[in-house]
Amino acid sequence: MANVIDMLKCKCPNCKKGKMYSELGNLLMFRSPKMYTTCSECHFKFEKEPGFFFGAMFVTYALISAEMIAGMVLFKFILGFSYITVALLAITTIVLLSTFNLRISRSIWIYMFYSD
Ligand SMILES: [Zn+2]
């Protein structure tokens, strides 16, 4: 359980103390999250090889699918909006969560390989 909390907080998978991101990113300011190359506490290298985080794209796909399904259930079946409104709200939600999804998917990806 502690691993999941550290993963969601984007802590280093090796020491669980250092941060993975220097900047969280802000969609409204057109800033993407900035990642440290190594951990400030234990000097663990985050990107082990070029293209290591390519696989995080698949985690992002799973996250977006889950968020869209949750959004559709909420907006259509609970709040009773029309299909076009549901589609627009789902797209808006995904765009607003894009920096969050990017950070969390990279964190999930690195924890899948380098967490004890
Ligand atoms: Zn560390």
Side-chain angles (χ1 to χ4, degrees):
M1 191 62 195
N3 259 355
V4 174
I5 293 169
D6 291 331
M7 183 178 68
L8 293 176
K9 285 181 169 178
C10 299
K11 296 288 184 184
C12 167
N14 193 39
C15 67
K16 317 278 195 271
K17 291 176 187 154
K19 291 180 182 175
M20 286 174 62
Y21 290 96
S22 59
E23 201 174 300
L24 298 180
N26 187 337
L27 182 75
L28 301 176
M29 303 291 283
F30 300 106
R31 293 182 145 184
S32 63
K34 297 275 186 290
M35 195 171 200
Y36 290 117
T37 52
T38 57
C39 174
S40 58
E41 303 290 322
C42 68
H43 304 290
F44 178 81
K45 190 178 176 191
F46 293 126
E47 190 167 9
K48 289 293 179 187
E49 58 197 22
F52 173 74
F53 288 111
F54 177 78
M57 182 179 69
F58 301 107
V59 179
T60 305
Y61 178 72
L63 279 174
I64 289 175
S65 299
E67 289 162 2
M68 287 194 103
I69 290 169
M72 293 223 180
V73 168
L74 173 73
F75 297 131
K76 181 66 187 167
F77 300 113
I78 296 175
L79 299 176
F81 292 150
S82 68
Y83 281 114
I84 189 71
T85 309
V86 169
L88 292 174
L89 284 171
I91 291 168
T92 305
T93 305
I94 296 310
V95 169
L96 291 176
L97 289 175
S98 60
T99 55
F100 170 80
N101 285 336
L102 189 129
R103 277 186 284 125
I104 294 298
S105 65
R106 283 185 170 201
S107 184
I108 290 171
W109 187 251
I110 200 168
Y111 267 76
M112 282 168 57
F113 294 100
Y114 296 107
S115 182
D116 44 359

